[in-house]
Amino acid sequence: MRDLTGLEAWESPHLAKLDSGGLSGLTGDPDFIVSSADSSVLGESKVAAHAKSHRYSFEQFTKYQFLGSLLECARDPALRRSVAHLVLVPDPEPGRFSSDYKMWRPGVQDGRLIADLGDRTLIDQAERFSDLGSWREFLRRTLLDRRTQLSCEVDPERVVSLFRRNPGMPIPTFVVSWEALMVNVRSIAAELRLGNLDRATCRLESMAYGRDPDRDEAARADKFVAKSVVWMTPGAKRP
């Protein structure tokens, strides 16, 4: 797990005990983490560079909900964080970035991913839940399990409060396209006169969208992009 502000907080017993709590398979490992003293962003980065690497699944969504909830409800105030989950995608249209869209049909409203808690049937091989509502209850029940409380250092009162405050999913999920992110980064780079940062955004965007090396000088000069990245334009379906 990579923390952009230092590893010491994430080498804690709180996260080290996920295995002993039987939750390692339910939490996953974020692509990146941005932390402050009281909040964290858990990030999932999707690119169109390779087949299916631009796709986001319900399983990934649930893992971020679990991990974010553990941090929100940590018993130790030094470990506790207010959490948001960020998904970076080539195309912010749910039907294009979700690999199993027909099963759970997520939506995006004002940049926030919305999961309907209706009776839409979900497939779970372990038969722990059958729809989004019962999955939410499975998450709540697991966090309140005494073994989880002891092994993962969870405060049950904070679990109850978290679910009371959030009638939908406990951890907010935001969807941002690489194109929109790069626009903001370039604006900051220009304002602060950071030429290296501006050039780095070109490579990141090439990796995300696979800029056509025949028409993009920066992509043509980058051997990784020219040889490894599948071409995809913002808002377009993969060929």
Side-chain angles (χ1 to χ4, degrees):
M1 188 176 294
R2 297 167 293 283
D3 179 4
L4 301 186
T5 62
L7 294 175
E8 58 276 7
W10 302 96
E11 294 173 348
S12 67
H14 180 68
L15 294 185
K17 288 186 177 181
L18 289 179
D19 281 337
S20 61
L23 296 179
S24 60
L26 299 176
T27 58
D29 187 7
D31 286 338
F32 62 90
I33 301 171
V34 180
S35 286
S36 68
D38 58 2
S39 62
S40 286
V41 174
L42 307 179
E44 178 73 18
S45 173
K46 293 299 179 182
V47 297
H50 305 288
K52 296 184 179 180
S53 62
H54 63 305
R55 295 291 190 170
Y56 180 77
S57 69
F58 174 71
E59 182 181 13
Q60 288 177 311
F61 172 75
T62 63
K63 287 183 175 183
Y64 279 101
Q65 291 292 317
F66 260 108
L67 183 56
S69 297
L70 286 170
L71 293 175
E72 287 267 5
C73 301
R75 187 180 302 122
D76 186 347
L79 301 174
R80 192 180 303 146
R81 296 289 190 280
S82 174
V83 179
H85 171 35
L86 176 67
V87 189
L88 281 171
V89 293
D91 189 323
E93 174 62 36
R96 292 176 177 169
F97 71 72
S98 174
S99 60
D100 44 11
Y101 173 76
K102 290 184 178 180
M103 182 180 75
W104 62 303
R105 293 189 178 276
V108 175
Q109 186 175 33
D110 297 327
R112 184 164 176 168
L113 188 145
I114 305 297
D116 185 4
L117 289 175
D119 58 359
R120 186 172 292 110
T121 301
L122 298 177
I123 298 174
D124 176 46
Q125 300 299 331
E127 298 183 349
R128 297 164 298 183
F129 51 85
S130 58
D131 53 38
L132 278 167
S134 60
W135 178 82
R136 183 180 185 276
E137 176 58 22
F138 166 68
L139 168 59
R140 189 191 70 84
R141 193 169 59 248
T142 301
L143 293 171
L144 288 174
D145 183 82
R146 184 161 180 78
R147 185 178 67 164
T148 303
Q149 293 174 31
L150 295 176
S151 300
C152 301
E153 301 179 358
V154 172
D155 181 346
E157 292 185 5
R158 295 193 65 85
V159 174
V160 173
S161 176
L162 177 66
F163 278 76
R164 183 184 297 123
R165 295 194 313 268
N166 301 288
M169 294 299 159
I171 303 303
T173 298
F174 298 92
V175 177
V176 177
S177 72
W178 277 95
E179 185 177 36
L181 177 66
M182 293 301 100
V183 168
N184 289 326
V185 172
R186 287 195 181 100
S187 176
I188 294 172
E191 182 179 347
L192 300 179
R193 298 181 180 179
L194 301 175
N196 289 338
L197 179 60
D198 183 65
R199 287 189 292 275
T201 62
C202 293
R203 189 171 196 269
L204 285 172
E205 199 165 27
S206 294
M207 291 172 67
Y209 291 115
R211 299 299 194 195
D212 188 347
D214 292 333
R215 293 183 294 174
D216 190 317
E217 184 176 351
R220 186 168 58 251
D222 190 317
K223 293 182 180 180
F224 173 83
V225 172
K227 294 181 179 180
S228 305
V229 176
V230 178
W231 179 71
M232 180 177 180
T233 56
K237 292 183 177 180
R238 175 182 293 277

